[in-house]
């Protein structure tokens, strides 16, 4: 449950602390005082989208802080731990959870969970376990078929949840298979053309049979062969300079003569030994180089006159493959992997047959899942209608009857059912959809009755109602107050209301007070007791907090609620 909420610079509220606590808390105040800002602040703590417009005029940022009492172990504490935060144990298996949210004047938002900064999505996750908020907009949502189906599903609990989960799995499986079959049959001509083109490309690659890096090697060989005569002349000149059979002295001979000259003189100076060794090394290297050049010239001589033509022809064949596929590597990859793709394309006929059979099987399974879901919803619909009808008796609609109808509808991820909540406001009346026939007051009470009934089957500990009593007055409002008090016996209930008949049943009455200070209007919140509460009740009844008649009426209402003083 919510223990306390603190608001700073939110809307018209400069700073306010709301002590909530267990049971039934009513929040009242003059129009424009900022009652709805309390619900807005709670929404921010529950992960609602931030809005710079909620920041008080002139302030840098708005801040909302809340303290919850939660189980020390369970889904809430586990989610807080996942976000890096902590809950503070307070004994009896309970713990305090601190949540906070700030919104800057530029619209930027920050959230804190259990003392650690966290995404606003974590607050939304926690909200599913902590609080249900209903406002007048929820009455509009109750008019939608989807909202009515969701209400039935929430009431149905595990039987519907399990059936719905299986239906969604089967729905997605059938949808995926049907899409695959449609893709296969719709684009069959394209796939046949792709297979034909792939088969031709593979045949061309196989015919040429290129090797990795062959295009580079062929380019090198072509360049060498094209300059063979120039290479031969250069290599011959170099070879003759190194080692010649003619009369002119060559390098090898000259190096040998120089070495022998130094050897003869080395006896007189040992320092010449190192130079003798160098000349000997140079002679060996020159001789080896001459031998290598002889081999190079022999290779050039072996290249016949037609080799260049053969290389160029091969280059043209490999080049065609490269141009067709962008690179030799791409062509080689296609040769390695194209066979698998071709086999897949050639298997289209068999695949269509197999997929068609799988689609039939998947749709049959989906039919079974949809039937189980419809069965679970139909069973729950009878119980929900009876329970809501019983609740309406306690909400000053003793003769009203609610029927929850489950009929075949359009298939969707939520099933094949159309759920309609019907209301017969008096005996003999034909039940009609609440979306079309219920007045504002009736719709408010139907929604409250549904929420009370669902509360008995769910685990959310806190309910917040924002002026859901719109359109209700007199005796009906008193019964709404009684029912909210009864709900508060097992859950925490927070109600923003303008009706004294509802507020009278609250065990904790908070008033949002507006004060004017020049151009700045600020609101704060204070708990009301004794004469202050009687005056606020009188104001709600007549607009005259000091009227003796209104005060007397206020005391009478408070005595009905059992919470006077």
């Amino acid at each position: 449950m919510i223990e306390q909420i603190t608001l700073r610079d939110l809307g018209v509220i400069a700073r306010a602390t709301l002590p909530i606590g267990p049971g039934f808390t009513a929040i009242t105040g003059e129009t424009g005082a900022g009652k709805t800002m309390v619900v807005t602040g709670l929404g921010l703590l529950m992960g609602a989208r931030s809005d710079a417009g909620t920041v008080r005029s002139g302030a840098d940022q708005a801040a909302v802080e809340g303290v919850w009492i939660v189980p020390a172990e369970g889904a809430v504490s586990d989610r807080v731990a996942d976000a890096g935060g902590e809950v503070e144990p307070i004994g009896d298996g309970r713990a305090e959870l601190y949540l906070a949210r700030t919104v800057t004047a530029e619209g930027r938002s920050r959230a804190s969970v259990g003392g650690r900064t966290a995404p606003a999505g974590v607050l939304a996750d926690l909200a599913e376990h902590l609080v249900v908020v209903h406002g007048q907009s929820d009455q509009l949502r109750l008019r939608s078929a989807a909202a009515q189906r969701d209400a039935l599903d929430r009431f149905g609990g595990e039987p519907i949840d399990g059936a719905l989960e299986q239906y969604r799995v089967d729905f997605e499986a059938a949808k995926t298979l049907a899409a695959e079959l449609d893709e296969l049959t719709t684009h069959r001509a394209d796939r046949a053309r792709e297979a034909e083109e792939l088969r031709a490309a593979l045949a061309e690659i196989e015919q040429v049979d290129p090797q990795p890096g062959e295009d580079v090697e062929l380019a090198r060989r072509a360049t060498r062969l094209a300059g063979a005569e120039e290479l031969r002349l250069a290599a011959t000149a170099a070879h003759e300079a190194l080692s010649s059979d003619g009369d002119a002295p060559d390098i090898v001979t000259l190096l040998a003569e120089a070495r022998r000259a130094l050897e003869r003189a080395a006896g007189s100076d040992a320092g010449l030994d190192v130079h003798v060794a160098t000349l000997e090394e140079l002679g060996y290297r020159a001789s080896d180089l001459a031998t290598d050049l002889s081999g190079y010239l022999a290779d050039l001589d072996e290249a016949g006159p037609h080799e260049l033509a053969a290389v160029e022809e091969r280059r043209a064949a490999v080049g065609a493959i490269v141009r067709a596929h962008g690179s030799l590597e791409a062509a080689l990859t296609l040769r390695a992997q194209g066979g698998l793709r071709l086999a897949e394309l050639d298997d289209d006929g068999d695949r269509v047959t197999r997929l068609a059979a799988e689609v039939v099987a998947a749709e049959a399974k989906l039919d079974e899942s949809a039937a189980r879901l419809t069965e679970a919803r139909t069973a729950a619909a009878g119980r929900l209608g009876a329970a809501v009808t019983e609740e309406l008796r306690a909400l000053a609609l003793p003769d009203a009857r609610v029927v929850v109808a489950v009929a075949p509808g359009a298939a969707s991820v939520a099933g094949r059912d159309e759920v309609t909540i019907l209301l017969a406001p008096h005996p003999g009346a034909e039940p009609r959809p609440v979306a079309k026939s219920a007045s504002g007051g009736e719709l408010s009470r139907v929604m409250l009755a549904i929420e009370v009934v669902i509360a008995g089957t769910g685990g959310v500990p806190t309910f917040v109602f924002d002026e859901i009593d719109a359109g209700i007055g007199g005796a009906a409002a008193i019964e709404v107050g009684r029912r909210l008090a009864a709900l508060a016996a097992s859950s925490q209930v927070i109600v923003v209301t303008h009706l004294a008949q509802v507020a009278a049943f609250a065990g904790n009455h908070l008033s949002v007070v507006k004060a004017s200070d020049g151009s700045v209007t600020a609101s704060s919140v204070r708990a009301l007791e004794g004469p202050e509460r009687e005056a606020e009740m009188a104001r709600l009844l007549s607009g005259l907090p000091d009227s003796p008649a209104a005060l007397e009426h206020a005391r009478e209402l408070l005595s009905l609620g059992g919470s006077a003083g």
Side-chain angles (χ1 to χ4, degrees):
M1 70 173 182
I2 305 171
E3 187 173 38
Q4 178 177 289
I5 296 177
T6 299
L7 311 173
R8 292 196 300 273
D9 294 323
L10 186 68
V12 297
I13 297 178
R15 181 181 177 89
T17 297
L18 287 73
I20 307 295
F24 181 4
T25 295
I27 301 174
T28 63
E30 296 178 9
T31 301
K35 298 187 300 296
T36 301
M37 282 297 104
V38 175
V39 178
T40 299
L42 183 59
L44 288 172
L45 289 181
M46 295 295 96
R49 186 175 180 179
S50 61
D51 181 3
T54 61
V55 180
R56 185 167 175 258
S57 178
D60 294 330
Q61 68 175 24
V64 186
E65 300 171 358
V67 180
W68 261 258
I69 303 298
V70 300
E73 297 180 355
V76 171
S77 58
D78 289 345
R79 186 66 184 94
V80 172
D82 289 343
E86 295 180 351
V87 297
E88 186 68 29
I90 58 175
D92 298 327
R94 301 182 304 157
E96 282 189 343
L97 169 61
Y98 172 81
L99 302 177
R101 184 91 176 271
T102 59
V103 180
T104 68
E106 293 77 29
R108 294 190 298 273
S109 169
R110 292 186 64 185
S112 175
V113 175
R116 293 291 298 273
T117 300
V122 178
L123 295 177
D125 292 344
L126 291 171
E128 295 181 3
H129 304 282
L130 295 176
V131 63
V132 173
V133 179
H134 285 287
Q136 295 183 55
S137 60
D138 292 277
Q139 296 181 29
L140 298 178
R141 283 200 292 273
L142 187 60
R143 295 180 186 271
S144 76
Q148 294 180 34
R149 184 191 62 228
D150 291 344
L152 174 60
D153 289 353
R154 287 171 56 205
F155 173 78
E158 177 55 34
I160 291 181
D161 290 344
L164 180 57
E165 182 179 359
Q166 184 60 54
Y167 171 85
R168 284 174 173 164
V169 170
D170 295 340
F171 180 84
E172 290 301 327
K175 181 180 176 182
T176 300
L177 286 171
E180 187 178 351
L181 179 60
D182 180 67
E183 169 73 16
L184 199 60
T185 54
T186 301
H187 300 286
R188 180 176 290 182
D190 295 337
R191 293 168 68 86
R193 184 166 52 253
E194 180 187 351
E196 182 179 351
E197 292 172 354
L198 178 56
R199 190 175 288 107
L202 290 174
E204 182 182 14
I205 295 172
E206 287 298 330
Q207 182 179 4
V208 175
D209 190 24
Q211 303 302 309
E214 186 178 2
D215 53 341
V216 176
E217 175 62 21
L218 286 171
R220 187 193 65 79
R221 288 181 62 193
T223 301
R224 181 172 180 265
L225 290 170
E229 186 58 32
E230 183 180 353
L231 294 173
R232 183 179 290 104
L233 291 174
T236 299
H239 181 269
E240 289 178 351
L242 288 169
S243 177
S244 174
D245 295 333
D247 296 333
D250 55 41
I251 292 176
V252 173
T253 302
L254 292 174
L255 287 172
E257 289 179 357
R259 177 177 55 80
R260 287 192 295 270
L262 289 181
E263 284 177 339
R264 287 193 295 270
S268 301
D269 186 358
L272 291 175
D273 290 344
V274 65
H275 300 304
V276 171
T278 300
L279 286 169
E280 185 175 19
E281 175 65 22
L282 289 173
Y284 291 148
R285 296 184 66 178
S287 179
D288 290 342
L289 181 55
T291 301
D292 292 343
L293 286 172
S294 294
Y296 181 78
L297 286 167
D299 288 341
L300 285 177
D301 290 339
E302 288 180 1
H306 302 296
E307 184 172 353
L308 178 59
V311 169
E312 290 295 354
E313 184 179 354
R314 180 65 180 173
R315 282 188 73 192
V318 174
I321 296 295
V322 170
R323 287 191 298 274
H325 301 283
S327 69
L328 184 58
E329 290 75 11
L332 294 174
T333 300
L334 180 62
R335 179 169 67 177
Q337 301 177 358
L340 294 175
R341 176 59 177 166
L342 186 59
E344 178 184 341
L345 293 170
D346 287 341
D347 189 40
D348 273 1
D350 292 339
R351 287 183 66 206
V352 167
T353 301
R354 290 197 305 270
L355 271 175
E358 290 177 12
V359 167
V360 170
E363 289 179 346
K365 187 177 181 183
L366 180 61
D367 289 342
E368 294 176 1
S369 297
R372 284 194 294 270
L373 178 57
T374 298
E375 183 180 353
R377 280 175 171 159
T378 302
R383 299 195 307 273
L384 178 60
V388 173
T389 297
E390 185 65 27
E391 283 295 327
L392 290 177
R393 293 195 178 100
L395 293 172
L397 287 174
D399 298 322
R401 179 168 60 94
V402 167
V403 176
V404 181
V406 179
S412 71
V413 71
R416 299 176 179 175
D417 306 313
E418 181 177 325
V419 177
T420 308
I421 297 177
L422 308 171
L423 174 67
H426 51 79
E430 188 70 22
R432 298 185 59 198
V434 293
K436 298 178 180 178
S437 62
S439 66
E442 289 171 340
L443 196 61
S444 294
R445 279 177 277 180
V446 170
M447 190 188 76
L448 177 58
I450 290 173
E451 199 56 68
V452 169
V453 169
I454 293 176
T457 63
V460 178
T462 298
F463 293 88
V464 179
F465 297 95
D466 183 14
E467 297 190 0
I468 65 156
D469 46 23
I472 298 175
I478 291 175
E479 296 306 325
V480 168
R482 279 201 178 101
R483 201 64 198 91
L484 289 170
L487 177 61
S490 58
S491 303
Q492 183 183 46
V493 176
I494 302 170
V495 180
V496 177
T497 183
H498 63 282
L499 293 180
Q501 294 93 329
V502 172
F505 290 87
N508 181 28
H509 190 160
L510 304 178
S511 175
V512 181
V513 183
K514 179 171 65 174
S516 182
D517 181 15
S519 61
V520 178
T521 298
S523 297
S524 60
V525 180
R526 70 169 183 264
L528 300 181
E529 295 181 357
E532 283 189 329
R533 186 176 186 192
E534 292 175 1
E536 173 65 3
M537 294 284 289
R539 185 194 68 77
L540 292 172
L541 288 166
S542 65
L544 302 172
D546 299 324
S547 165
L551 286 169
E552 183 61 30
H553 191 184
R555 295 185 189 100
E556 183 181 3
L557 284 177
L558 289 170
S559 66
L560 286 176
S563 52

